[in-house]
C-alpha cells in the first residue's frame, strides 16, 4: 500500500548530512536582534528576503497566518508559549517581498541527550504556494537547521498544503518506517 503524498514520514538520510554542512545560504554569524535579514533570492517576479525574527510575539507574523489559507495556530507566536513548560525554544524565519509577508516557519527546538531536536508543526507557510517559493523556503529551513546544530527535525506540513509534500518527496528525504510518528508528519 502506498502512502499518500500528504501522509509522508521522511527523514534526512545519513549520507545527506554532508549536504547540510555546506551552506545553502550565507548567514551572518552575528547574533540577531529584532529582525535580521539572513538571505535573499530573486524568484520569477520578485526579490524575496528571509529574516530571522527575534520577536517572540510578532503581530505581523500572526496577522499573516490569519490571512493565509495555510496558516494554523501551531505556527503562531502563542504556540511556543503553550509549549514553554516542555522547554521548547522558538526559531522564527519570515519571508518578505516588496514589504509584504510571503511566508515563514517556526521551529521549536530543545536539547536532548542526543543533541538538539526540533519540529515544525503545520509549517512552513508559503503564500502564494508555488514550487519556486516553497523550494526557497525549504532551502532556508535546511540552512537554519544546520546553523543551529539541530540533529533531528520533524516537519509536519500545513493541512491544506499541495506543493510542500510533493517537494519534500523529491528532496533528500525518505520514508521513516522505524519511528512511530504521526503518519502526516515529515521527518527531516
Amino acid at each position: 500500500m502506498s502512502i499518500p503524498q500528504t501522509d509522508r514520514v521522511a527523514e534526512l538520510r545519513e549520507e545527506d548530512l554532508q549536504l547540510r554542512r555546506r551552506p545553502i545560504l550565507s548567514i551572518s554569524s552575528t547574533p540577531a536582534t529584532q529582525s535580521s535579514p539572513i538571505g535573499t533570492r530573486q524568484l520569477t517576479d520578485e526579490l524575496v528576503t528571509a529574516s530571522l525574527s527575534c520577536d517572540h510575539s510578532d503581530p505581523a507574523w500572526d496577522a499573516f497566518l490569519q490571512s493565509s489559507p495555510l496558516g494554523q495556530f501551531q505556527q503562531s507566536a502563542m504556540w511556543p508559549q503553550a509549549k514553554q513548560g516542555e522547554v521548547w525554544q522558538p526559531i522564527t524565519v519570515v519571508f518578505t517581498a516588496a514589504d509584504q509577508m510571503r511566508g515563514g516557519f517556526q521551529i521549536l527546538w530543545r536539547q536532548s541527550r542526543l543533541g538538539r531536536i526540533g519540529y515544525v508543526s503545520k509549517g512552513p507557510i508559503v503564500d502564494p504556494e508555488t514550487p519556486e517559493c516553497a523550494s526557497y523556503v525549504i532551502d532556508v529551513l535546511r540552512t537554519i537547521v544546520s546553523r543551529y546544530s539541530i540533529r533531528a527535525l520533524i516537519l509536519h506540513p500545513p493541512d491544506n498544503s499541495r506543493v510542500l509534500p510533493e517537494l519534500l518527496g523529491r528532496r533528500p528525504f525518505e520514508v521513516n518506517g522505524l519511528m512511530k510518528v504521526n503518519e502526516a508528519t515529515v521527518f527531516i
Side-chain angles (χ1 to χ4, degrees):
M1 175 167 89
S2 100
I3 299 173
Q5 282 289 349
T6 57
D7 293 347
R8 296 183 69 82
V9 178
E11 80 181 22
L12 191 60
R13 293 179 295 220
E14 189 65 32
E15 58 268 20
D16 293 316
L17 288 175
Q18 293 305 316
L19 289 174
R20 286 182 33 193
R21 293 189 197 346
R22 284 183 276 163
I24 296 168
L25 298 170
S26 173
I27 296 181
S28 169
S29 61
T30 57
T33 56
Q34 292 183 6
S35 181
S36 300
I38 57 174
T40 59
R41 183 176 290 174
Q42 180 66 46
L43 301 182
T44 302
D45 57 351
E46 59 190 357
L47 185 65
V48 178
T49 300
S51 299
L52 187 62
S53 174
C54 295
D55 184 358
H56 298 306
S57 62
D58 188 343
W61 172 243
D62 285 348
F64 170 76
L65 289 174
Q66 289 178 347
S67 69
S68 171
L70 298 179
Q72 293 182 252
F73 175 74
Q74 291 88 339
Q75 283 292 302
S76 74
M78 289 185 277
W79 186 241
Q81 294 171 15
K83 302 302 267 179
Q84 196 171 27
E86 299 173 33
V87 198
W88 291 99
Q89 299 294 317
I91 301 169
T92 305
V93 175
V94 297
F95 296 81
T96 57
D99 296 325
Q100 297 273 326
M101 188 87 59
R102 293 287 189 247
F105 58 83
Q106 179 171 252
I107 300 173
L108 292 185
W109 69 272
R110 71 178 181 185
Q111 195 67 35
S112 77
R113 63 185 171 91
L114 301 173
R116 288 182 178 175
I117 59 171
Y119 78 99
V120 177
S121 183
K122 308 297 184 177
I125 308 299
V126 182
D127 193 11
E129 191 185 32
T130 64
E132 182 183 36
C133 193
S135 180
Y136 176 45
V137 170
I138 292 169
D139 287 347
V140 172
L141 174 69
R142 290 181 62 206
T143 299
I144 292 294
V145 166
S146 178
R147 164 94 188 287
Y148 282 85
S149 302
I150 296 174
R151 294 182 52 109
L153 179 76
I154 297 172
L155 189 148
H156 188 175
D159 291 338
N160 296 323
S161 178
R162 303 277 184 249
V163 174
L164 282 167
E166 181 181 328
L167 280 178
L168 292 168
R170 285 192 257 150
R171 298 224 168 223
F173 305 104
E174 63 184 37
V175 173
N176 177 357
L178 299 176
M179 297 184 69
K180 301 296 182 210
V181 179
N182 181 343
E183 288 183 356
T185 301
V186 176
F187 188 40
I188 305 175

